[in-house]
Amino acid sequence: MAEPSLTGAPEPGEVSSAEKALLQRPSFGIRARLALGFLAFFLLAAAVTAAAWIMLSRLEVRLKFLEVADRYTLEIQQARRFEKNYFLYGTNLQDVQEHVANARKLLGSSEAEVFKVLSAADLRRMRDHLDRYEALIQSLVEMEKNAPADRAAKQAAVEVEVRAHGSQMVSFAMELSQKERNSVNQTLALFKRLPVAFLIVLLLLVAFIVNFLARQMLGPLSRLMATAQRIATGDFTPITPARKYRDEFSDLAVALNTMMREVAHRQEILVQSHKLRAVGTLTAGVAHELNNPINNIMLTAEMLKEDYTTLSDAERLEMVDDLVGEAGRSQKIVRNLLDFAREGEMETESLDMAELLRRTAGLAANQIKLTGAKILMDIPENLPPVYGDKQSLSQVFLNLLLNALDAVQKGGSVRISAGGGKEDPGYVSVRVSDDGHGIPPHVLPYIFDPFFTTKSKGKGTGLGLSVSLGIVRQHGGDIRVQSSPQEGTTFTVLLPAAMVPGLGERPC
Amino acid sequence: MDERLSVLVLDDEPIVGRRLQPALAKIGCDVEIFEAPGPALERLKEKAFHIVVTDIRMDDMDGIEVLERVMERNPETRVIMITGYATVEMAREAEAKGAFDFIAKPFKPQELRDVIAKAADSLGFHGVAHAAVPDVP
Ligand SMILES: Nc1ncnc2c1ncn2[C@@H]1O[C@H](COP(=O)(O)OP(=O)(O)OP(=O)(O)O)[C@@H](O)[C@H]1O
Ligand SMILES: [Mg+2]
C-alpha cells in the first residue's frame, strides 16, 4: 500500500515500529521523577538545617566570649578602682594585683576557644596592655618596699602612666565587647531572616516541582485523552513518542496501540462480514436479474436449433448476435457484484464519485426493481475527486441505498445527489434521500449504534450504519442524518475532496 | 374449428418477443407482441385475445395489474404469467386473481407451447397446439 492515507488499518510494520520507538527510549519513570523532586526538597531542608546549626554554634561562641569579655572588663575596672584608692588614700596595691591576676587568668584560661573570635592583633594588644599594666603596678609595689628617696617623684611619674594605660585598657576592652555585641546582633538579625529566605526558596522549589510534574504527567495525560477522542472518531494511527524518556505512560501508549490494532482488525472483520451480508441480499436480486439474459439465451438457442435449416443466413446471424450480446450482459451483471464482493486490501485511489455512485446503484438495480421504487440520480459532472477505497465507499452508499429501499413504499422514490459541499468547503457531499417512513425522533440517536435495528430478525443486523460510519470516518469524513416521519430521511455523507493529488490525504 | 388461437405476448425483453413470435406462429397461433404494458392494454381493449402471456415483473407496471385489467374486460381469456426468481408471493397473488398458469424464466419455447396447448384445450381448441408441434431432431 503506497499511500497509507486511510487510518483505519495500521500496517503491522507501522505499529511495531511505533512500539519500538516508544520502548527504545531511556527509561525515566514517574517514580524516579517523584523521588528526584522529593530529594530536592530534602536537600534544601538539610542545607537549611546545617546552615542554622553552624550559625547557632557561632553565636554560642560569641555569646560565651561576650560573657568572658564582660568579666574581664569588670576585673580591670576593679583593679583600676583599687589603683585609684591607692593613689588617693594610700591603700595597698594587693587588691589591684589580685584583680589583674584574675583578668590574666580569664585571658589565659579561655583563650583557646573563646578568644578565637578576636583577631590575633587584638588579642596581642590586649595582652600587651595587661602586661604593661601589671609591670607598672609591680614597679609601684617595688617602690613601696624599698622606699627610695625620690619615691614621691617617681611615684608621680608612674601614676600618670598607670592612669593613662589603665583607661586605655578599659576602653579597649569595652570597645571590643561592644564590637562583638554588634556582630552578635547582626547575626541574630540574619538569623531572623533565614526562615523567610527558606520559605521563599521553598516556594520557588514547590512552584518548579509542581510545574515539572504537571508537565511530565498532565502533558502525556492530555495527549492520551486526545488520542482516546481520536480513537472514538475511528482514527487508529498508532501513538508515536513525543518525549525523550520512557515512563509508565509509554507502557500505556503501547497498550493503547495494541488495543487500536485489535479494534481496527475487528472492525475490518465486521466490515467484511457485513459486506458479505449485503452481497447475500444482492445475490437474490442478481439471480433474478440474470434470469432475463439467460431466458433470452435459452429461447434464442432453442429456436436456432429448431429452425436451423429453414432460417436465412441473416436471421441466423441475428440470433447468434443476440446470444453473444446476452452472454455479455450476464457477465456484466455478475462482474459488478463480484467486484464488490471481492475481499481485498484497502486501496486508496482518486475516485470519481459519479462513476462510483452509478456503479453502486447498478449493484442494487434489482433490489430497486423489487421495491418498485424510483431512483433519481442528480450528480454534477464537475465533482472533485475523493481519495479513498472504492470497495468500502461503495459499501457505504449501498448500505444507505438498501436502507432507503427498505423504508420506501412501492412507488416511492430515492434520490441520490452529490455536490461540492457548499456548507462544508473542501468536502464532497453525497445525499441519499428517500420519501419513506422516516425515523422517529426517539430512535434517531441510536441508528448508528452497532446492532441497533428496527427490522425483523433475519432482515436486519443493525450493522449497516455503524459499519458505514466507521468507513467514512476512516476516510476523514462524516455521516449526517435528517429525518421526519412525514417527509422521509436524508443521509448526507461528507468526504474530503482531493483538490490536488495528495492533498486530500489526512496527515497521519 | 375455423377460428385461430389469438395470443398476446407482453414482455419488456425484446428478444423474448422476437423468439416467441415464430415459435408460437408455428403451432398455428395469431401472435401479437408487445414490450410495454400501455400499448398492450390499449390493444386488449380493442380485441379479446384467447390467451395473454405476460411477464409478471416489468419496469412501468407489473403483470398483476395487466392480469386484473384482462380479467375485468374478458374473464374468458387465459392469462399465463412468466415468473422469475423470488416472486412466489406474487405468483400466489396472481393465482388468486385468476391467472391460468405460470411459467418460470428461463424456459424453453416448447414449455410455453405446452402451457398454451393446455390453455387452448381448456378453451375448446382441441388438438390445435399438439398437432402443430414439429418433431425436434
Ligand atoms: N432511510 C431510512 N429510513 C428509515 N429508517 C432508517 C433508514 N436508514 C436507517 N434506518 C433505521 O436505522 C436502523 C439501523 O440501520 P442499519 O443500516 O444500521 O441496520 P439495518 O438496516 O437494520 O440492518 P442491516 O443494515 O444490517 O441490514 C434501521 O433498522 C432503521 O430503523
Ligand atoms: Mg441497513
Side-chain angles (χ1 to χ4, degrees):
Chain A
M1 196 155 89
E3 302 158 287
S5 82
L6 292 189
T7 47
E11 295 276 285
E14 194 187 330
V15 170
S16 63
S17 76
E19 249 149 59
K20 226 181 255 164
L22 282 169
L23 291 174
Q24 257 171 2
R25 294 172 293 172
S27 170
F28 185 25
I30 293 168
R31 180 194 292 260
R33 279 172 225 195
L34 281 176
L36 212 66
F38 284 110
L39 186 68
F41 268 124
F42 176 75
L43 286 180
L44 177 71
V48 169
T49 309
W53 176 268
I54 290 167
M55 274 168 126
L56 274 176
S57 45
R58 280 232 199 106
L59 209 60
E60 197 182 12
V61 172
R62 290 228 152 99
L63 285 173
K64 249 188 215 150
F65 166 76
L66 268 183
E67 196 188 316
V68 173
D70 282 348
R71 265 162 63 203
Y72 174 80
T73 313
L74 202 72
E75 291 296 340
I76 302 286
Q77 278 172 335
Q78 287 291 353
R80 289 223 56 207
R81 197 169 301 137
F82 285 112
E83 167 223 305
K84 211 183 266 169
N85 285 351
Y86 165 76
F87 285 120
L88 285 178
Y89 315 112
T91 51
N92 62 18
L93 281 167
Q94 224 170 326
D95 290 326
V96 180
Q97 278 183 311
E98 224 168 79
H99 284 294
V100 169
N102 281 347
R104 175 169 297 288
K105 221 191 279 163
L106 275 174
L107 211 58
S109 72
S110 37
E111 191 177 12
E113 1 140 15
V114 173
F115 287 89
K116 265 189 215 144
V117 295
L118 289 185
S119 68
D122 281 345
L123 193 62
R124 201 175 328 112
R125 271 179 72 193
M126 245 169 114
R127 202 171 285 143
D128 285 350
H129 277 304
L130 196 62
D131 287 348
R132 183 83 188 117
Y133 188 76
E134 198 173 21
L136 287 170
I137 298 296
Q138 189 59 41
S139 74
L140 281 176
V141 172
E142 299 282 299
M143 256 179 252
E144 259 333 284
K145 268 193 201 149
N146 304 340
D150 52 351
R151 182 185 144 185
K154 271 192 179 163
Q155 219 175 6
V158 172
E159 185 186 345
V160 173
E161 209 187 333
V162 164
R163 286 227 167 124
H165 208 78
S167 79
Q168 249 181 51
M169 199 162 64
V170 168
S171 68
F172 182 73
M174 278 167 72
E175 204 178 291
L176 219 75
S177 63
Q178 188 55 47
K179 227 164 79 191
E180 271 314 298
R181 202 159 272 130
N182 284 346
S183 130
V184 163
N185 282 341
Q186 257 171 28
T187 308
L188 277 175
L190 191 72
F191 210 69
K192 232 159 72 186
R193 280 208 294 273
L194 185 73
V196 178
F198 173 67
L199 267 183
I200 290 171
V201 173
L202 194 70
L203 198 72
L204 290 177
L205 191 67
V206 165
F208 174 74
I209 286 180
V210 164
N211 191 9
F212 176 78
L213 285 183
R215 244 185 312 120
Q216 294 299 312
M217 316 227 292
L218 298 183
L221 256 185
S222 64
R223 204 166 156 247
L224 288 173
M225 229 145 71
T227 306
Q229 270 155 11
R230 179 163 70 80
I231 293 171
T233 66
D235 179 353
F236 298 134
T237 322
I239 303 170
T240 48
R243 292 165 307 151
K244 269 199 239 138
Y245 297 101
R246 178 160 74 88
D247 59 17
E248 288 81 348
F249 285 114
S250 312
D251 298 338
L252 188 55
V254 169
L256 270 178
N257 278 352
T258 310
M259 184 198 81
M260 280 193 270
R261 194 178 42 214
E262 281 300 305
V263 170
H265 179 59
R266 258 144 232 248
Q267 175 152 326
E268 251 168 59
I269 292 174
L270 209 59
V271 168
Q272 191 58 32
S273 66
H274 194 266
K275 185 164 92 181
L276 289 181
R277 213 187 104 74
V279 169
T281 308
L282 293 178
T283 309
V286 163
H288 184 77
E289 180 81 2
L290 271 178
N291 263 338
N292 281 326
I294 291 175
N295 188 47
N296 290 339
I297 290 171
M298 177 83 90
L299 290 176
T300 306
E302 281 285 331
M303 290 315 291
L304 190 61
K305 193 168 132 192
E306 216 178 281
D307 300 338
Y308 196 82
T309 48
T310 56
L311 286 171
S312 70
D313 279 354
E315 283 169 326
R316 278 203 292 258
L317 194 62
E318 187 212 316
M319 287 168 94
V320 171
D321 279 346
D322 279 349
L323 286 176
V324 172
E326 292 303 294
R329 185 177 157 197
S330 322
Q331 184 195 24
K332 230 198 228 142
I333 293 166
V334 176
R335 185 191 281 158
N336 206 356
L337 183 72
L338 287 185
D339 264 1
F340 176 72
R342 196 191 65 234
E343 189 170 350
E345 289 270 298
M346 279 220 175
E347 266 173 65
T348 21
E349 55 187 313
S350 177
L351 295 176
D352 175 8
M353 275 292 123
E355 155 88 8
L356 185 84
L357 290 172
R358 268 193 291 272
R359 281 181 71 105
T360 306
L363 266 176
N366 214 70
Q367 244 54 39
I368 295 166
K369 248 192 227 168
L370 276 172
T371 323
K374 286 205 174 38
I375 294 282
L376 304 159
M377 297 272 262
D378 178 14
I379 301 156
E381 281 311 307
N382 54 353
L383 266 189
V386 164
Y387 267 94
D389 178 54
K390 189 164 39 178
Q391 268 201 26
S392 41
L393 286 181
S394 177
Q395 189 178 350
V396 169
F397 297 124
L398 184 71
N399 284 340
L400 296 181
L401 186 55
L402 291 180
N403 278 351
L405 290 176
D406 280 343
V408 295
Q409 308 255 306
K410 191 175 182 161
S413 65
V414 178
R415 184 186 181 83
I416 301 176
S417 58
K422 275 170 215 95
E423 295 136 58
D424 305 270
Y427 285 85
V428 171
S429 68
V430 176
R431 268 193 189 79
V432 179
S433 16
D434 63 66
D435 56 3
H437 55 65
I439 306 170
H442 68 274
V443 163
L444 203 57
Y446 308 110
I447 57 169
F448 288 101
D449 292 353
F451 303 112
F452 177 85
T453 181
T454 56
K455 294 169 190 172
S456 59
K457 214 172 176 185
K459 235 198 141 210
T461 60
L463 283 174
L465 287 177
S466 134
V467 159
S468 300
L469 186 63
I471 292 171
V472 170
R473 287 210 169 145
Q474 271 173 36
H475 284 75
D478 202 5
I479 302 184
R480 296 180 187 159
V481 59
Q482 240 177 346
S483 185
S484 78
Q486 296 85 37
E487 279 149 43
T489 310
T490 299
F491 281 92
T492 307
V493 178
L494 291 169
L495 290 166
M499 296 302 179
V500 179
L503 278 189
E505 294 178 30
R506 284 214 299 168
C508 291
Chain B
M1 218 175 269
D2 290 348
E3 202 185 358
R4 281 169 65 87
L5 194 65
S6 60
V7 179
L8 183 145
V9 175
L10 172 59
D11 193 306
D12 57 0
E13 293 282 331
I15 292 181
V16 171
R18 286 215 293 274
R19 297 296 108 82
L20 290 184
Q21 165 88 57
L24 299 182
K26 265 191 192 172
I27 57 168
C29 303
D30 279 339
V31 188
E32 288 185 36
I33 301 290
F34 290 89
E35 285 170 25
L41 287 174
E42 285 303 310
R43 182 71 182 124
L44 280 165
K45 276 183 201 159
E46 296 162 15
K47 182 179 174 184
F49 284 83
H50 293 120
I51 292 171
V52 170
V53 179
T54 176
D55 193 359
I56 207 164
R57 175 167 306 286
M58 282 165 296
D59 279 340
D60 304 342
M61 186 188 293
D62 63 40
I64 301 280
E65 215 173 320
V66 176
L67 169 68
E68 279 171 359
R69 299 281 184 86
V70 174
M71 287 294 127
E72 266 169 35
R73 193 160 280 277
N74 187 6
E76 271 299 290
T77 303
R78 302 291 186 252
V79 180
I80 298 165
M81 314 292 296
I82 303 174
T83 64
Y85 177 84
T87 50
V88 189
E89 285 167 42
M90 269 196 169
R92 216 165 280 145
E93 191 187 345
E95 192 161 34
K97 287 187 169 151
F100 174 77
D101 205 350
F102 304 93
I103 184 157
K105 269 186 184 176
F107 57 89
K108 294 180 178 172
Q110 188 53 46
E111 288 166 355
L112 181 63
R113 286 195 283 236
D114 289 346
V115 177
I116 285 178
K118 225 168 47 177
D121 272 352
S122 76
L123 283 171
F125 286 83
H126 296 293
V128 171
H130 294 290
V133 175
D135 287 326
V136 180

